[in-house]
Amino acid sequence: MTMIAYLGPAGTFTEMAALRYLQLKYPDLEHYPSRMCPYPTISQAIKAAENGEVEIAVVPIENSIQGGVTMTLDSLWQSELLQIQQAIVLPIAHALITRAEKLTDIKTVYSHPQGLAQCQQWLDQHLPTVQQIATDSTTEGLHTVAEDITAAAIASERAAEIYNLPILEFPINDQPDNFTRFLVLGRTATTTQGTHSSLAFSLKRNMPGALVKPLLVFADRQINLSRIESRPTKRSLGEYIFFIDIDAPIDDPNFYEALQELQSVTENLKILGSYEVC
Ligand SMILES: O=C(O)C(=O)Cc1ccccc1
């Protein structure tokens, strides 16, 4: 029985992505919830898939407004085993969940940093003096909201329903078109023929123009990069890991050849997976 680790507790946007994945992959299943294992942080969910406690982990990777989820990028780089099996894109609408009857009664607002950031202008305008508390997920603060009438959380409408808490304002995200991409990670690659492929590499140290060479490998073959993002290596200031997405399957002969050449112009190269986006 496939068990799925996800960023919980229940009611997160990641849970919605995980349920969507289960419904698409196993349309005849009857008991989706019994397969769902919430973990309090992204790194714990990823570790659970890596050490075999569960078969797959679902985690957020990128938001259309806020950009990359750094915790996921760093965990992917550190993971020796996990491959991306599927990407899921969901529209994100945030609700202000609170038992307070009016905005002026609210003293604290809890959410995942992405939730706070996606509603920053709304918060500045409507709750400028309220203390913002970053949590590991949008639903982590909901127990406090249940106990404290001056507390609010930014989470989904579905989360309000699950915890039986009222919504004071909806939607409160600054951009109506707000999307997040989630990844399904597992210990096996399911395909080399997905429409999208991801890889990451570090560069040989102190070489001028070191990033140009890997980029030329793609440019010379007319391979289109759909995303490039960097993260610090954490070894020393100014050293980066580059994450790259390509709209091509790994077994495309052109891309395969590029990968062989990339080995010689990078320090460490990781193929993160080939997958479909739904
Ligand atoms: O905390 C959640 O609900 C998550 O799944 C992470 C997240 C937070 C805000 C927007 C999208 C995903």
Side-chain angles (χ1 to χ4, degrees):
M1 171 153 114
T2 303
M3 301 296 288
I4 300 192
Y6 71 94
L7 172 66
T12 57
F13 292 101
T14 309
E15 185 188 41
M16 287 189 217
L19 286 168
R20 167 124 178 241
Y21 169 75
L22 270 181
Q23 280 155 4
L24 281 173
K25 178 114 182 153
Y26 307 101
D28 298 330
L29 262 189
E30 276 177 13
H31 294 292
Y32 297 111
S34 63
R35 289 161 190 267
M36 303 286 288
C37 309
Y39 284 80
T41 63
I42 290 173
S43 61
Q44 286 178 54
I46 289 179
K47 271 196 199 110
E50 200 163 41
N51 66 25
E53 262 171 66
V54 296
E55 281 75 22
I56 57 177
V58 180
V59 289
I61 177 82
E62 188 188 14
N63 177 262
S64 55
I65 297 157
Q66 287 308 313
V69 180
T70 53
M71 180 67 79
T72 302
L73 292 168
D74 292 349
S75 301
L76 263 179
W77 177 252
Q78 279 148 21
S79 166
E80 292 301 328
L81 293 172
L82 294 180
Q83 288 277 305
I84 303 170
Q85 298 188 347
Q86 174 90 43
I88 298 153
V89 177
L90 289 187
I92 305 290
H94 289 293
L96 186 75
I97 304 173
T98 180
R99 290 166 50 236
E101 278 175 12
K102 49 189 191 314
L103 291 175
T104 45
D105 293 338
I106 297 172
K107 294 205 177 88
T108 49
V109 59
Y110 293 81
S111 195
H112 184 278
Q114 290 253 344
L116 292 171
Q118 289 161 27
C119 304
Q120 203 52 58
Q121 287 168 21
W122 189 91
L123 288 169
D124 284 348
Q125 203 178 336
H126 297 94
L127 295 172
T129 57
V130 161
Q131 189 191 7
Q132 296 176 17
I133 300 175
T135 48
D136 285 322
S137 72
T138 52
T139 46
E140 189 189 311
L142 287 174
H143 294 293
T144 311
V145 172
E147 283 160 17
D148 178 355
I149 199 154
T150 70
I154 295 174
S156 68
E157 281 182 294
R158 180 169 174 270
E161 229 169 79
I162 293 175
Y163 294 84
N164 200 18
L165 288 165
I167 292 175
L168 187 59
E169 299 271 348
F170 177 85
I172 61 163
N173 31 298
D174 299 328
Q175 312 290 334
D177 280 335
N178 183 23
F179 291 89
T180 294
R181 193 153 53 96
F182 299 84
L183 295 181
V184 177
L185 304 171
R187 271 164 295 153
T188 46
T190 47
T191 178
T192 52
Q193 297 170 350
T195 48
H196 292 67
S197 301
S198 295
L199 52 91
F201 55 79
S202 57
L203 295 172
K204 294 176 182 167
R205 289 189 198 198
N206 299 325
M207 271 180 45
L211 180 58
V212 172
K213 289 183 185 165
L215 294 184
L216 277 177
V217 170
F218 297 111
D220 287 348
R221 292 177 174 77
Q222 311 290 317
I223 296 172
N224 189 33
L225 308 187
S226 54
R227 170 171 166 247
I228 177 161
E229 178 147 5
S230 64
R231 287 288 301 147
T233 57
K234 306 185 206 306
R235 261 184 336 210
S236 77
L237 188 67
E239 274 190 16
Y240 297 97
I241 295 149
F242 295 91
F243 291 83
I244 283 185
D245 286 356
I246 290 153
D247 295 341
I250 286 177
D251 68 0
D252 176 319
N254 209 17
F255 183 27
Y256 186 77
E257 221 180 86
L259 287 177
Q260 307 298 312
E261 203 178 317
L262 266 187
Q263 299 275 8
S264 60
V265 291
T266 56
E267 181 195 51
N268 191 357
L269 173 69
K270 277 190 181 182
I271 312 297
L272 301 173
S274 187
Y275 51 90
E276 305 289 327
V277 182
C278 69

